[in-house]
Structure formats: structure tokens, C-alpha cells
Amino acid sequence: MNKILLLIGWLLTSLTFAQTTQKHPKTSGKDWKPLFAADLSDAGFPKGIWSVESGVLTATEDIPIWTKKTYKNFILDLEFKNATGTNSGVFVYCSDTANFIPNSVEIQIADDYSEQWSKAPASWQCGAFFGHKPAVRPRVVKPAGEWNRYTITCQGKHITVLLNGQLVNEIDMSQWTSGKTNPDGSAIPNWLNKPWATLPNEGNVGFQGKHAGAPIYFRNIKIKELN
């Protein structure tokens, strides 16, 4: 009975968020800081993989870039642009950058219009919590070559995702007590076998690099720490 009530609550919350439109925040205030220095001197990545040109951050290989600082409660605001076939992501709450896959939460970025990713599982498409919860509104991401905007708010176990003015996802990590199945009964990929309820609510922020052979581009990346 408790599992049924939990599933009903999870579905009702998803429907509520699917019908919600919000505005992205103004990031010009003094509380907003660039996530990375312009020369990436405060970022962690192998030399030569990530670079910034004309304010646009991109990578040549499938290796993430990480903040050296850890963040607890925060709002992350950024723009990203897909190429054809892009599959990337934003990582939050990473507690082990050397073994980041099971030790972080990934908010998916993907070219949902491409042949490959349009046919992928919904929890692998843009706006999803990768492998854990699909976006409640599909294809809010723009076609390859156009800039998109993400606002990701992390407060304790609660994370919300705003994409192009639409609240496309939210999660209460404490509901993910299994490393094998999601609250709706769907399977979690076996390489993500650490229950999100057990992950710390603080960690490094990072971006996935040139994954699946297609580049990803980021710009205007800012963060605001919350109390």
C-alpha cells in the first residue's frame, strides 16, 4: 500500500510540474557568480580537453569538466547548444569525480530530434534525470544548432529543472531508495546502482564532454549559492 501511495504522489507531482511555466532568473545580481573562471584556472579537467573561445565552452573528448569547489544548495543557470546527435549532461552533487557515474546526479542533455536519441528511452532524453526519471514534457529542447537555457535548482534532496521557460522535471532524491528500480517500477541502468537517497547533498558540479561522437557547447554559466 505504501508503495502504491508513493507512486500516486510521484505521478501527481509530475503532472503538476508538467503544467507549470516559470521564468528563468535574472543572473545579473551580485549573488550570481561565473561557475568557471574565463581561463578555466578553477576547473578540473585533463589539459587540452576543454577550452573557451568567445565565451563558449566546449570539449574535444568525452571527459567531464568539474568545479574544484563543492556546492550544497544552489541555482545553476546556463545556456547549451547541441550539435546533431549530441548526448551530454550536467552533473550535480558529485562526491567522487574519479568515479562520477554512480556518485552524482545527471540532468540529461540530448539532441532529441536525432535518429539515435529520438528512439532512446525517455529517461535518456533531454530534461531527464538520466536513467531515473524522464522529463514530464518531451522535446522542449530546441533543434541542433540553437541555444537552449537550463536553470537547475538544488536544495537538499529536491532538484528542479527549468528548460526554455518550461519546468520539465523535478525530483525528491529521498524517494529513490533502490539502486535497481525507480519509484514507478522501471529499471535503473546497472551502472547507476547507488540509490540516490544515499548520495550526499553536496558535491562538485560538472559537464559531460564530447560524448557519443558529437560536441556540446555551453555559455553564460552562472551559479548562485543558497542558504
Side-chain angles (χ1 to χ4, degrees):
M1 179 62 72
N2 288 337
K3 290 184 177 180
I4 294 174
L5 291 174
L6 181 63
L7 176 57
I8 292 172
W10 184 77
L11 291 172
L12 288 175
T13 301
S14 298
L15 289 172
T16 299
F17 273 78
Q19 298 168 357
T20 303
T21 300
Q22 292 189 354
K23 292 183 179 180
H24 292 280
K26 294 181 179 180
T27 60
S28 56
K30 64 180 181 179
D31 293 334
W32 288 92
K33 308 294 182 184
L35 186 67
F36 298 118
D39 61 359
L40 301 181
S41 58
D42 57 355
F45 63 95
K47 186 177 180 180
I49 303 298
W50 288 84
S51 62
V52 178
E53 184 174 347
S54 301
V56 177
L57 174 69
T58 193
T60 57
E61 295 183 31
D62 185 13
I63 297 176
I65 186 171
W66 299 102
T67 59
K68 292 181 179 178
K69 177 179 177 178
T70 61
Y71 292 92
K72 192 172 184 179
N73 297 315
F74 60 90
I75 304 172
L76 177 66
D77 193 86
L78 61 97
E79 292 179 274
F80 70 88
K81 181 173 66 174
N82 290 326
T84 300
T86 288
N87 181 304
S88 186
V90 178
F91 300 105
V92 297
Y93 289 161
C94 182
S95 56
D96 184 353
T97 58
N99 185 28
F100 65 91
I101 292 177
N103 290 296
S104 62
V105 174
E106 181 181 1
I107 296 93
Q108 178 74 337
I109 292 174
D111 174 21
D112 291 348
Y113 302 90
S114 67
E115 177 71 15
Q116 182 175 6
W117 305 120
S118 64
K119 296 179 180 179
S123 64
W124 292 32
Q125 295 178 344
C126 201
F129 290 97
F130 183 79
H132 289 75
K133 186 183 177 189
V136 293
R137 297 194 66 178
R139 289 201 177 184
V140 175
V141 67
K142 298 177 183 178
E146 298 184 34
W147 286 101
N148 301 268
R149 189 171 177 183
Y150 253 160
T151 302
I152 299 167
T153 302
C154 298
Q155 292 183 290
K157 295 291 187 185
H158 190 240
I159 304 175
T160 61
V161 181
L162 186 66
L163 173 60
N164 296 332
Q166 300 291 327
L167 194 52
V168 295
N169 220 337
E170 65 88 28
I171 199 170
D172 177 355
M173 293 166 58
S174 64
Q175 295 181 3
W176 268 255
T177 57
S178 170
K180 294 183 178 181
T181 57
N182 295 304
D184 66 353
S186 61
I188 296 172
N190 58 16
W191 60 90
L192 298 172
N193 56 7
K194 184 173 286 189
W196 277 3
T198 68
L199 296 184
N201 303 332
E202 181 175 3
N204 305 88
V205 174
F207 302 135
Q208 193 170 18
K210 188 179 179 181
H211 182 61
I216 179 67
Y217 306 93
F218 299 97
R219 71 181 184 185
N220 297 328
I221 312 163
K222 291 189 177 183
I223 194 165
K224 178 181 178 179
E225 295 186 75
L226 304 172
N227 295 328

